[in-house]
Each structure stands twice: as C-alpha cells, then as structure tokens.
Amino acid sequence: MPSKKLSFGPASTMPEVPKGEYAELEFSEKGDLHWEHKEDGEYGMKWFIPITLLSHPSVESLPSSGSFMHWVSKAQAAEQLYNVVCDAENDLKKEIFGKKWKLTRSITGSYRLDHA
C-alpha cells in the first residue's frame, strides 16, 4: 500500500502585483495545486489558479525555474481564464499551458493577461 503524502498549512500565494506593474508566469495543470473557486463572504467569488511565478516586482529572488503557487484573485481576468480551462469542450486550453504570460495591473487596479 503506497503511503500518503502529507502536507500542512496553506499553499503559497502570489503577492498582489503593484498598480502599473506586471508579473510573468505560466499556468499549471500538474502538481498538488488545483484550479478552484470559493465564495468569499460579502466579497464574492475568489479564483485559485495554479501558476509558476517567473518574475514579480515585489519578489526579489525567484529560482530560475520559477516558484509554484496559486494566483488568488477576484479579477475578471482570473474568472475568464478559469472558465476556459475548466470547460471540457473548450479548444483554447492548448493555448493556455506551456506558455509564458504577462499579468499586468493597470493604474486603476484591474488585471489583464497577455501572452508574453
């Protein structure tokens, strides 16, 4: 009988991108982190998106291979991405994984995702 892999404590989450700046990342469909969404009381839905963080203006040193964590967000970009990935019929999934993405936060605080 294989032994269970135990983990304690929350998974790492990406720090908020400062307004007017961007982070580079890749989306993940492998590993222990899952694509999830949870109700957050009066604030609505939060999206939990597994990523490999490659660069971030608030993180001084990242391994050259990046750091595996969740992007947790209420942003419309996160919801749209989640819906594309979790829709079994969607052919766009192949455009999501294995590619570098740029997550830009505007000066008004909204997020935009673009292929890097």
Side-chain angles (χ1 to χ4, degrees), residues 10-48:
S12 296
T13 58
M14 181 180 76
E16 186 173 68
V17 176
K19 289 180 179 179
E21 307 241 14
Y22 69 90
E24 290 183 320
L25 49 91
E26 291 179 355
F27 298 107
S28 178
E29 59 183 338
K30 301 174 184 161
D32 294 338
L33 299 181
H34 302 284
W35 291 73
E36 301 178 282
H37 62 283
K38 297 178 184 171
E39 188 69 35
D40 186 28
E42 65 188 75
Y43 299 105
M45 200 64 73
K46 276 191 177 180
W47 309 97
F48 292 74

Side-chain angles (χ1 to χ4, degrees), residues 14-86:
M14 181 180 76
E16 186 173 68
V17 176
K19 289 180 179 179
E21 307 241 14
Y22 69 90
E24 290 183 320
L25 49 91
E26 291 179 355
F27 298 107
S28 178
E29 59 183 338
K30 301 174 184 161
D32 294 338
L33 299 181
H34 302 284
W35 291 73
E36 301 178 282
H37 62 283
K38 297 178 184 171
E39 188 69 35
D40 186 28
E42 65 188 75
Y43 299 105
M45 200 64 73
K46 276 191 177 180
W47 309 97
F48 292 74
I49 298 176
I51 64 167
T52 300
L53 185 62
L54 303 171
S55 71
H56 192 289
S58 301
V59 180
E60 287 185 24
S61 61
L62 283 167
S64 59
S65 59
S67 186
F68 193 56
M69 62 186 63
H70 267 132
W71 170 36
V72 180
S73 181
K74 296 178 285 183
Q76 186 177 28
E79 179 181 4
Q80 291 170 345
L81 174 69
Y82 179 91
N83 290 335
V84 166
V85 168
C86 294

